[in-house]
Amino acid sequence: NMKRHFENKLINGHWELSIFDDTNDQLTGKLLDWKLHFEVDYCTEGIQWTKLSTNSNSCERTTINDGKVIHSNCNDDCGRHQIMNEIFTPRQSHSAVAIGNDVFVIGGYAHGIKPEIWRFNYEDRDWVQLHNSLKRPKSYGQTATLTPYGMIALGGVRNGVTGTSFTDKVFIYDIFNETETVVDFDLGRRQTSRGYRPESRYHTSATFIGQNHFLFNETAESGLKQILDGILMFGGDISSPNNNYLEDMWLLTLEKIVANKVFVLEHNKHEACIDILHPDKNLLNPWDWSCGRLAHVNSTMHCRWQDVVRKAWCQGHYQQSFLSPL
């Protein structure tokens, strides 16, 4: 029975087929033809969800009861995490940046602002709170994308001396100078929000598209038009607290921004990221002790969201639509 020879074997293993005569009858000859028929089926589902937070030091639900915050479905991770600042609790409107096998959760809201930075490791399935001095972001609901050209943030709600206001501005965040610059659009095309630029909004979705992307164009001979680097933005909310949702799609082209070198370009990456891409093994690595594998809530070094974004950018872990920590 051939089936038993293949049981519990890896599907993506290296396979070799050998054909031989195991009967010692002293006869010799040539194999002229042969056929082999396989019927295969999935051992498990080919596409499936895996809950990575199972048995991690976290609580899955948070509710309010008589004015008190109640956490439920909490895992104590076999008793290793005894105090609450070692248990990750639910939140929303946070920033999340993935770097390798880690995801960094920055800030958020859960019945109050959460001025915290946590690191979750996919393999260890463990949450670690990091020592930080996180400040309240200037914008709420601002969307960001981390692109080869830096971090680009769109829209959001800002609180000022005249009250709460929505913005249609596009911000370029300089990863190394840690400053933000407002993109200056063509002055002659500022008059209408509908025609030439999107309405002010928050909680929109955005994604970076590169030079290999095409858009349908009826006037083009092939029906497709190649576009330069840009940001695709879809939908959002333009009213608070009453929701007023949008379903419009916009393309922000970046060639002028790139040409003017408003932010760090890809070809400067090696010089700008030398300490991250090629760290000196004989020196203390600040990343390990502030945000990396040796860091924890009582570390003497702060983990800053700016360092997390810089690390992701230097290693080419570009991120699509996430809430901006600016």
Side-chain angles (χ1 to χ4, degrees):
N1 185 355
M2 289 185 62
K3 183 179 178 180
R4 63 184 177 86
H5 294 289
F6 294 91
E7 289 179 346
N8 300 319
K9 300 295 184 182
L10 293 176
I11 297 174
N12 60 345
H14 179 70
W15 296 92
E16 292 183 0
L17 178 64
S18 300
I19 300 176
F20 59 92
D21 185 356
D22 61 355
T23 302
N24 187 12
D25 53 12
Q26 306 301 319
L27 297 177
T28 61
K30 294 182 178 179
L31 179 65
L32 300 178
D33 190 21
W34 59 276
K35 292 181 179 180
L36 184 64
H37 176 72
F38 280 102
E39 290 185 5
V40 297
D41 199 359
Y42 285 116
C43 300
T44 58
E45 283 292 330
I47 301 176
Q48 60 184 350
W49 285 98
T50 300
K51 188 174 182 181
L52 298 180
S53 59
T54 299
N55 297 326
S56 67
N57 52 312
S58 62
C59 298
E60 295 187 354
R61 296 183 183 276
T62 296
T63 56
I64 291 288
N65 189 2
D66 294 331
K68 296 181 179 180
V69 178
I70 306 298
H71 302 296
S72 59
N73 292 8
C74 298
N75 299 313
D76 191 25
D77 196 18
C78 300
R80 288 195 300 132
H81 302 273
Q82 300 294 333
I83 55 179
M84 204 59 205
N85 67 1
E86 293 183 347
I87 303 292
F88 181 80
T89 55
R91 65 204 60 201
Q92 62 160 327
S93 300
H94 53 273
S95 303
V97 178
I99 304 176
N101 291 334
D102 295 318
V103 59
F104 291 83
V105 174
I106 304 166
Y109 183 87
H111 312 293
I113 300 295
K114 306 285 285 187
E116 302 170 351
I117 298 180
W118 289 77
R119 185 185 71 247
F120 179 76
N121 184 272
Y122 299 145
E123 296 180 337
D124 297 339
R125 302 192 179 187
D126 194 36
W127 288 97
V128 176
Q129 186 175 0
L130 304 172
H131 187 202
N132 73 90
S133 56
L134 196 64
K135 297 181 180 179
R136 183 170 182 164
K138 291 179 285 187
S139 296
Y140 167 74
Q142 185 181 67
T143 298
T145 61
L146 188 59
T147 76
Y149 305 109
M151 191 175 82
I152 300 176
L154 311 168
V157 181
R158 293 203 169 192
N159 295 319
V161 293
T162 59
T164 300
S165 62
F166 293 82
T167 181
D168 63 351
K169 294 179 179 178
V170 177
F171 302 90
I172 303 296
Y173 174 70
D174 188 316
I175 293 174
F176 300 97
N177 293 330
E178 299 183 1
T179 57
E180 58 177 311
T181 303
V182 178
V183 176
D184 188 15
F185 294 95
D186 295 334
L187 292 176
R189 301 173 68 86
R190 288 176 179 257
Q191 302 304 315
T192 61
S193 62
R194 285 277 182 190
Y196 298 123
R197 56 194 295 179
E199 291 181 82
S200 302
R201 65 192 65 199
Y202 72 123
H203 283 317
T204 184
S205 294
T207 184
F208 171 77
I209 53 177
Q211 295 185 7
N212 293 325
H213 287 77
F214 295 82
L215 290 180
F216 179 74
N217 188 344
E218 293 181 351
T219 61
E221 184 175 341
S222 64
L224 295 174
K225 176 185 177 182
Q226 187 171 9
I227 58 175
L228 298 175
D229 293 355
I231 301 291
L232 273 179
M233 182 181 73
F234 173 75
D237 193 347
I238 61 172
S239 179
S240 177
N242 300 317
N243 296 324
N244 191 352
Y245 301 127
L246 297 168
E247 49 75 44
D248 52 348
M249 178 82 76
W250 290 80
L251 171 66
L252 173 67
T253 51
L254 301 178
E255 58 263 32
K256 183 176 180 180
I257 300 174
V258 174
N260 291 340
K261 298 182 180 179
V262 175
F263 48 86
V264 180
L265 298 181
E266 178 76 6
H267 63 259
N268 290 332
K269 174 177 286 189
H270 178 78
E271 180 180 354
C273 300
I274 187 68
D275 60 321
I276 292 178
L277 299 179
H278 306 286
D280 189 335
K281 296 181 179 180
N282 297 320
L283 298 176
L284 174 67
N285 188 335
W287 170 262
D288 288 341
W289 291 93
S290 60
C291 305
R293 57 188 177 87
L294 301 177
H296 51 82
V297 70
N298 295 317
S299 296
T300 57
M301 299 181 66
H302 285 81
C303 179
R304 307 182 310 141
W305 71 261
Q306 295 91 335
D307 299 327
V308 174
V309 170
R310 179 172 177 254
K311 175 84 168 182
W313 187 83
C314 286
Q315 293 189 342
H317 297 293
Y318 305 126
Q319 321 280 319
Q320 305 305 340
S321 191
F322 65 97
L323 286 177
S324 168
L326 282 174

